[in-house]
Amino acid sequence: MKFLLIFCFVIGSSLQCPHQDPNLLDWNNPTAWDGGTVPQLNSDATLIKSVKLNSKPPILRELTIASGAKLVFDPTTDVHLQVHAIYIDGEFHIGSETCLFEGNAHITFLGDVGEEKILLVRTGGTFEVHGSRKLPWTKLDGTAPKLQKTPDILEGKDNLDFCNDKCQDGLLVYQIEPNSGQLIAAHIFDFTVLNEEIEERINQFVDYLGDIPVDRIVGIGLKKQIVDNKKHDLTRVFQAIEDLAHTDVESQLRGVDKGSAFALLGLKGAKSKTVEVFEANVKAHHSVMAKLYHGNYAYVMESYVRNLGMGCENKVELHVYDDALYRPTITLLDEVSTWLPGDKLIVASTDYNPEQAEEVTVLSIPSSHQVRLTEPLKFTHYGNIYKGVDMRGEVGLLSRNVKFDSEEALTSDFYGGHIKVLKDFASVHIEGAELEGLGQQEVLGAYSIHFHMCEDVSQARPWIRQNSIHHSKSRCITIHHTMGLIIEQNVCYRTIGHSYFFEAGSEQNTIMEGNLGLGTSKPPPGRGLIPTDTACPTTYWVTNPKNSFRNNAAAGSFCRGFWFNYPDFPLLPDSFTGNAYMLNKEARFTAIHQFDDNTAHSNGGAGGFWDNILKPNGKSEGYNQYRPMKNPVENNCIADPKGCEDDCVYLRRFTAYKNVRQNAWVRGGCMKLVESSFSDSLSSVVLLRNMF
């Protein structure tokens, strides 16, 4: 009996993994495809059977998964699916909730403006994405300081008095002692001399490089230009640099022209450590930066060019830093053992300017609660609780092993792919995915993730959790006339227009818990899908009170963190004849279901804003006339509020700081801020009672 039980458990466990289904056919099996032909380059393909994606697919225009068919990604095969449109009537699986996908999957949407660029889950469709489970975001546990402008060891702005002349030409050569990081010698070699002097100058340069001792750090930077109109043969100069720093490759300096930028750092005797960067004269202002890490120090050399019509100004800067400061280690509140070297992070601003959020890369994980970064921080990020106000900045994970992104459109910078779910889908769950550059500014209704007119989904209970959605061209997650959605622990960064978006005002029974939003930005001139996108882009744009908000953070928006404003009646299409789920003016008299333990900081307007009425023209204006009452529908409060009892809204443990205009602007009937913490705003809390 014991053996039998174990055997059944093994079989049952294996069937939880979609890719282990023995009935799956290979991608290249012709019988799986409509027409009996395996998909070809730039073709439209329809899948009619269940298939494992276990080989490299060609670029496709359309991929349709027919009802009864199934596409399953194989975790043992790194897959990059490039496609204009995916239509799901059957099933699409990347892992499952009980068998997470631990391979690498990459889906890229292709196409220009006017072309379909979509993943559409239609009636009866299943869309299941379950990437590796990683900590989605945490907070600093201690302040992370910016790199100070004055380095601890050496600061060199051309580093020599004789180099201060902006018209000085040539190559600057530095020698640095690696054990102390101290500058030993520096020299500038000007090759714009007369013909009779050039050979002597070249000999001086070659001899100088040859005399540099082994194991010394060498830096070479270009200042302004190396020769006038390339009139001298500098082959021996290039060869000397290649002998010093390169193995079997030519130096990029051979392609130099006036106005180019060039920097090289190396360790003499160890050519494999050489770092060389070059950029031709391609724009008015440009620079290149070479970085070398050796021993306890970080060596950084920048060649900067500012072209000024007939001439140019070029400077070379060399800095030597303590490597522990240049590539800092930050301490975090939660265990981050699921993060990996190479992962991209976003560190939230903790100042008034939301643009102080910084994208960084993980170099290593020194301990379970620490991350070392590949680059210094440009801004200081506060990481402490100050006088009872939790001002610890958020740190979000952007990288995931399942990625959806978009090819840039030829005629627009604002036309990405989008994921859209329609009514009566069978199942949708998305976790552990990265969505970069999705959404469209040209088309209303094309958002990164969009539940469109799905109505009551409480039985299917879809959820979106632990994803990163960043550099979105239009919103992060849009809920449109959909009830019962769960949105948990997502990271939303750098979005055009409102980010977490309740579109019509009918959306309810949504659970918004543990999400992070930051970098909510204003549309460029001439863009903006609705008036409030341009007037006041907001991270959490909420148009119905019948929703729950717990432990969310609005950590930097151009305008507001949370904005609760309701229409008198849901803004549904004129052609819609179904259930609106809200009576006229019902929202005015309905208490917010829950608003607990949320945070707003570093927003350009208010941290939290409870006011205005959303108008049919898309503008939000006027006093909200909000007066929550107990059981407003049953007690007929909408028609006759005088005989009804007030209900109170409790905004519990709301933390808001460093919001430019107000930490909280609250207008309504019985509205109570409970156990909340506020600091550092022009007007910390504004409470306004409606007169009825």
Side-chain angles (χ1 to χ4, degrees), residues 440-658:
Q440 299 172 6
Q441 281 291 308
E442 280 78 6
V443 182
L444 189 67
Y447 315 122
S448 295
I449 297 178
H450 179 196
F451 281 78
H452 177 71
M453 306 288 288
C454 296
E455 300 195 27
D456 187 357
V457 298
S458 57
Q459 294 299 314
R461 212 54 174 162
W463 41 254
I464 311 297
R465 70 185 185 198
Q466 297 187 355
N467 303 286
S468 77
I469 307 168
H470 60 95
H471 296 89
S472 171
K473 303 176 191 303
S474 181
R475 320 223 184 283
C476 279
I477 299 174
T478 294
I479 313 164
H480 187 191
H481 196 58
T482 299
M483 297 73 188
L485 189 60
I486 300 172
I487 301 174
E488 295 179 323
Q489 297 182 317
N490 298 283
V491 174
C492 171
Y493 168 62
R494 189 58 70 182
T495 306
I496 298 176
H498 305 311
S499 297
Y500 297 100
F501 183 64
F502 293 70
E503 185 164 354
S506 56
E507 301 79 21
Q508 52 196 273
N509 298 325
T510 308
I511 296 175
M512 293 281 292
E513 183 166 13
N515 298 285
L516 171 63
L518 66 166
T520 305
S521 62
K522 192 173 183 177
R527 303 284 178 175
L529 298 175
I530 60 175
T532 52
D533 277 332
T534 301
C536 190
T538 299
T539 302
Y540 297 86
W541 161 268
V542 187
T543 58
N544 191 298
K546 296 183 179 181
N547 296 289
S548 299
F549 294 82
R550 303 189 291 259
N551 297 297
N552 301 287
S557 167
F558 178 85
C559 192
R560 293 172 182 153
F562 297 87
W563 188 358
F564 285 71
N565 66 134
Y566 317 128
D568 285 339
F569 191 77
L571 307 183
L572 298 167
D574 293 339
S575 59
F576 181 75
T577 58
N579 186 354
Y581 290 85
M582 293 291 289
L583 300 176
N584 188 47
K585 298 185 180 179
E586 179 183 348
R588 290 190 189 184
F589 301 96
T590 302
I592 296 170
H593 277 193
Q594 188 178 20
F595 189 85
D596 292 355
D597 302 293
N598 298 291
T599 298
H601 66 87
S602 307
N603 295 290
F609 194 85
W610 288 262
D611 203 356
N612 300 142
I613 295 174
L614 179 58
K615 303 293 185 176
N617 62 6
K619 295 182 179 180
S620 190
E621 53 195 13
Y623 300 155
N624 61 12
Q625 302 179 42
Y626 183 56
R627 186 180 178 183
M629 295 181 173
K630 293 184 178 179
N631 303 314
V633 175
E634 295 85 343
N635 294 331
N636 198 32
C637 300
I638 301 169
D640 183 18
K642 293 181 180 179
C644 292
E645 182 181 355
D646 285 338
D647 197 2
C648 286
V649 171
Y650 294 91
L651 310 176
R652 294 182 171 89
R653 296 174 297 279
F654 182 39
T655 299
Y657 64 93
K658 284 190 167 59

Side-chain angles (χ1 to χ4, degrees), residues 217-236:
I217 300 292
V218 180
I220 302 175
L222 175 61
K223 184 172 174 60
K224 193 178 178 183
Q225 61 184 347
I226 190 169
V227 292
D228 287 323
N229 302 317
K230 296 186 177 181
K231 65 181 180 181
H232 298 312
D233 182 2
L234 298 183
T235 300
R236 291 177 57 220

Side-chain angles (χ1 to χ4, degrees), residues 109 404-406 416-417 419 435-439 448 471-474:
F109 295 102
F404 295 82
D405 62 10
S406 299
I419 296 172
L435 290 76
E436 180 181 9
L438 302 192
S448 295
H471 296 89
S472 171
K473 303 176 191 303
S474 181

